[in-house]
Amino acid sequence: MTNAGALLADESPIRHSRLFCTRWNGLDKAAGTMDALDDKEFSGSLVVLLENGLDFVRTNSKVKWQKAGEERIELPDYPKRSVLEGLVNALIHRQYLDLGSEVHIDLFDDRLEIYSPGGMCDGSLVQEQDIDKVPSKRRNPVIADIFNRLKYMERRGSGFKKIQSVYQSQYLYTDEMRPQFYSDKDTFILTLKNLNYKKGAEKGAEKKQFHKMEERREKILLLIKQNPHITQGEIMENLNLSRKQVQSLMRILNNQGQIRRVGSNRNGYWEVFREGRGW
């Protein structure tokens, strides 16, 4: 059996192919009398490790929601797709010759960290690169190919960009919540910020974020009023938002009855309804 076959076997004989998952109590690994709130160790096939890791994160995180008109907006602590891409990257690209080391998922109150043994394949430092342009270099190409065939990867080389773009599309995203990538010659760490975490000193932060969303909707209404034929791409450029953010905001405005599309997507235009507000 090849090494790749052994790693993917249901009863994997490679003992150091394991996943350690911990939900820590607080913001570090020694935060109080109960350091760990949940603690699991998994072994077996890489596919089993992936599924167990995703289950652990799902069990130890929350999905909040908020009403905006008729729209229900889900607010996950961590976007599922970003966690999937991060864990897939850790399992595929880890250094399996590094005995006595495992992939770790560490959940804290404010963040999730995925640690993988082994740095970048070419020895570069990921934190010094443009994440959107990191070249695809695979330490374990057979495993990468199998995960691609199993649809755990959309395409080779797009994982980092996907992690970042999914975060940017979230309703509560701000630049401070950008995913962080770190590597040295022995280590790769992905840090995902908890989108719902609020520091104790930041009272009113949730209200501030809500007002920010309201302000964005007001700006969209103004842009449409000024140019009823405006496109989503032009709104994205004007407000420096992602397409998913613009689509979400416009869907809310439409459900609230504040805007309406007249005609086709190609040749139509938008109408704005602001009763009693001077429009």
Side-chain angles (χ1 to χ4, degrees):
M1 184 182 292
T2 64
N3 288 331
L7 287 167
L8 290 158
D10 288 340
E11 300 294 334
S12 176
I14 301 179
R15 288 190 51 79
H16 57 278
S17 175
R18 294 180 294 178
L19 176 65
F20 287 2
C21 302
T22 309
R23 172 55 171 105
W24 298 95
N25 181 26
L27 303 179
D28 54 49
K29 294 184 179 181
T33 54
M34 274 185 64
D35 290 346
L37 301 177
D38 195 4
D39 179 26
K40 295 286 191 303
E41 177 182 332
F42 302 107
S43 60
S45 163
L46 291 184
V47 174
V48 171
L49 296 185
L50 175 62
E51 293 175 347
N52 285 335
L54 294 175
D55 285 342
F56 184 88
V57 173
R58 183 164 47 247
T59 300
N60 286 281
S61 58
K62 299 180 177 63
V63 179
K64 298 182 180 180
W65 61 273
Q66 139 180 337
K67 291 283 287 183
E70 298 299 319
E71 185 85 0
R72 171 183 167 129
I73 302 173
E74 290 197 346
L75 307 171
D77 287 352
Y78 307 100
K80 181 179 178 181
R81 186 73 206 188
S82 294
V83 177
L84 171 64
E85 292 285 350
L87 187 52
V88 164
N89 179 75
L91 294 172
I92 287 178
H93 299 298
R94 70 154 286 187
Q95 175 56 272
Y96 283 99
L97 297 178
D98 187 358
L99 303 182
S101 188
E102 306 84 15
V103 173
H104 289 248
I105 297 176
D106 291 302
L107 275 157
F108 303 89
D109 288 357
D110 65 337
R111 69 195 186 280
L112 178 157
E113 294 179 357
I114 300 177
Y115 160 84
S116 177
M120 299 286 283
C121 296
D122 58 4
S124 63
L125 303 179
V126 69
Q127 62 270 24
E128 296 179 354
Q129 301 188 48
D130 182 345
I131 291 301
D132 291 339
K133 298 178 181 178
V134 175
S136 175
K137 295 183 179 180
R138 299 176 295 282
R139 177 176 281 117
N140 305 302
V142 175
I143 299 172
D145 181 65
I146 291 173
F147 268 62
N148 178 258
R149 292 169 185 264
L150 291 172
K151 307 301 182 184
Y152 288 126
M153 303 165 60
E154 286 194 351
R155 63 179 184 273
R156 298 178 181 89
S158 67
F160 294 170
K161 185 175 181 179
K162 174 62 68 175
I163 290 169
Q164 194 158 263
S165 66
V166 170
Y167 250 78
Q168 290 170 342
S169 71
Q170 298 302 301
Y171 192 72
L172 294 178
Y173 175 80
T174 63
D175 288 340
E176 292 76 19
M177 296 174 181
R178 182 186 299 272
Q180 297 176 352
F181 303 84
Y182 170 84
S183 70
D184 56 33
K185 65 183 182 66
D186 301 315
T187 300
F188 191 98
I189 300 174
L190 167 66
T191 301
L192 301 178
K193 301 295 184 65
N194 184 338
L195 291 163
N196 291 310
Y197 176 74
K198 303 173 188 64
K199 296 178 183 178
E202 293 180 348
K203 294 181 179 179
E206 184 174 3
K207 182 180 292 187
K208 182 178 179 181
Q209 185 65 23
F210 178 77
H211 286 319
K212 185 175 182 178
M213 297 301 107
E214 288 291 308
E215 181 180 341
R216 287 175 175 175
R217 290 201 285 267
E218 290 292 329
K219 288 180 178 179
I220 290 176
L221 288 171
L222 179 60
L223 288 171
I224 294 174
K225 179 69 167 54
Q226 294 171 341
N227 177 15
H229 295 276
I230 195 169
T231 65
Q232 288 185 358
E234 290 169 336
I235 295 175
M236 290 164 53
E237 185 175 348
N238 271 277
L239 302 184
N240 193 28
L241 298 174
S242 70
R243 183 172 297 278
K244 286 187 177 180
Q245 285 175 311
V246 171
Q247 289 174 340
S248 176
L249 291 166
M250 293 186 74
R251 186 165 56 249
I252 292 169
L253 290 171
N254 182 70
N255 289 339
Q256 290 176 337
Q258 296 190 62
I259 61 173
R260 182 180 69 180
R261 185 70 179 176
V262 179
S264 67
N265 289 335
R266 181 183 293 274
N267 299 315
Y269 61 93
W270 293 97
E271 285 186 345
V272 177
F273 299 89
R274 300 297 301 274
E275 293 183 9
R277 297 289 296 278
W279 291 107

